[in-house]
Amino acid sequence: MRRAIAQGRVTVDGATVVSAGAQVGPDRTVCIDGQDADYRPHDYLMLHKPAGVVSATEDPRLPTVVGLLPPRYRRRGLFPVGRLDRDTTGLLLLTNDGALAHALMAPGRHVDKVYEVLVEGLLTEADRAAFAAGLALRSGEIFAPAALSVVSSGALSLARLTLREGRHHQIKRMMAARGHEVRALKRISVAQLTLDETLPPGAWRRLSDEETALLRSSLPAPPQPGPPRDHSKRQQKTRI
Ligand code: URA
C-alpha cells in the first residue's frame, strides 16, 4: 500500500492520498488504480435501528434505515432484511445479498428472533401458556408458538419474546389479543446474531466474517420436498 500511495495510485473517496499512515473509517471508499481496495461481492451490516425511521430503502415522507448509511452503501444497493415497525428499535440487518436475505425471511424458513417488549399490565403464566400454545386471534389468524419469558411484572411488564415468524405488527397484535398494549419494542437478536450494545441507536457496523458465517450456519434447512412421486402412470400415458 505504501508503494501504491507513493506512486499516487491510491484514492480515498476520490481524493488522491499523498501520505501513508492516515486512519480511514469503514464508510470511506479506498481505491487502488480506480478499483475498490476492499471489494467484496456483498455487504452485511448490523444497524441499531432508532425509533422514527422506516425499514425501507426510500420513502417519500419519512427517514429510512438506508438513509442512515453513508452514500457508499446506498450506491451498493443495500436493503433491510425484513421490517421493524417505525417505532421499534434494535437489531436490523442490511445487505445486498438477496439470497441470504431470502433464506432468512422466506415464509416457512424463519429463524428465531428475540425481542424485548414492555407492555401495559401484568404479564402472567396464562399469557406465557397462551403464547406457547400458539395464539389464535378472533379473526381466525393463528400464530406459531412463541416463547415468552417474563423479566418483571407490574403496571408495566417487561418480557423477552422469541418468535419464528415475522408477520405485520405481530407482537403488538399478539399482546393486544391478551389485553396488553405495547409501550416499547426492541429486537435484540436474529438467529445467533445479537445486537452489539456498543452501537447507540442510529449507529451501524459491518458484520465480521465470523458473524456472517454464524448467520449462514444458523439458517434452517430448506423445506423438505414431499415423498418421491410415482411417475409410472404418467409415463404410461405418454407412451400410449
Ligand atoms: N412485532 C411488531 O409488532 N412490530 C415489530 O416491529 C416487530 C415485531
Side-chain angles (χ1 to χ4, degrees):
M1 183 62 94
R2 279 178 185 278
R3 198 159 152 213
I5 289 172
Q7 291 168 342
R9 294 161 49 209
V10 180
T11 58
V12 173
D13 290 345
T16 302
V17 178
V18 288
S19 62
Q23 295 287 322
V24 178
D27 52 335
R28 318 287 296 276
T29 304
V30 180
C31 291
I32 303 178
D33 299 331
Q35 300 294 315
D36 192 334
D38 187 28
Y39 179 77
R40 291 159 193 242
H42 294 117
D43 303 296
Y44 306 92
L45 309 183
M46 78 157 67
L47 169 73
H48 186 162
K49 180 190 173 297
V53 297
V54 291
S55 302
T57 52
E58 47 190 47
D59 189 277
R61 289 180 303 115
L62 298 165
T64 67
V65 289
V66 171
L68 295 170
L69 305 178
R72 169 187 184 192
Y73 286 111
R74 275 179 263 155
R75 282 195 300 271
R76 286 178 55 80
L78 269 80
F79 57 87
V81 180
R83 281 169 189 274
L84 292 176
D85 293 342
R86 182 156 40 130
D87 54 355
T88 301
T89 61
L91 175 61
L92 187 65
L93 300 173
L94 293 119
T95 187
N96 43 16
D97 180 344
L100 183 71
H102 180 75
L104 284 167
M105 290 298 143
R109 291 192 61 180
H110 285 176
V111 296
D112 281 358
K113 292 168 276 280
V114 181
Y115 293 83
E116 226 167 55
V117 56
L118 183 72
V119 297
E120 287 183 5
L122 275 181
L123 282 173
T124 62
E125 170 56 24
D127 293 317
R128 193 203 60 73
F131 286 163
L135 200 66
L137 302 190
R138 280 212 196 102
S139 62
E141 190 174 2
I142 297 173
F143 293 114
L148 182 74
S149 161
V150 178
V151 177
S152 65
S153 203
L156 287 178
S157 300
L158 183 66
R160 284 196 166 200
L161 185 59
T162 306
L163 295 185
R164 280 248 147 129
E165 301 170 303
R167 297 198 216 165
H168 191 54
H169 297 325
Q170 180 161 350
I171 294 178
K172 290 173 186 158
R173 292 191 295 134
M174 289 169 80
M175 286 295 180
R178 299 290 311 165
H180 303 289
E181 188 175 326
V182 171
R183 284 284 196 88
L185 187 56
K186 179 179 183 182
R187 184 157 68 185
I188 50 181
S189 70
V190 172
Q192 291 177 51
L193 203 67
T194 301
L195 177 65
D196 180 341
E197 286 291 351
T198 66
L199 291 176
W204 59 275
R205 70 161 169 79
R206 266 161 58 165
L207 295 190
S208 65
D209 292 343
E210 292 72 28
E211 287 172 323
T212 312
L214 197 61
L215 208 53
R216 287 186 194 289
S217 70
S218 61
L219 283 175
Q224 293 300 307
R229 287 169 60 186
D230 179 2
H231 294 292
S232 53
K233 286 191 182 128
R234 195 148 54 101
Q235 281 166 4
Q236 275 170 14
K237 272 188 194 161
T238 30
R239 256 188 255 124
I240 288 169

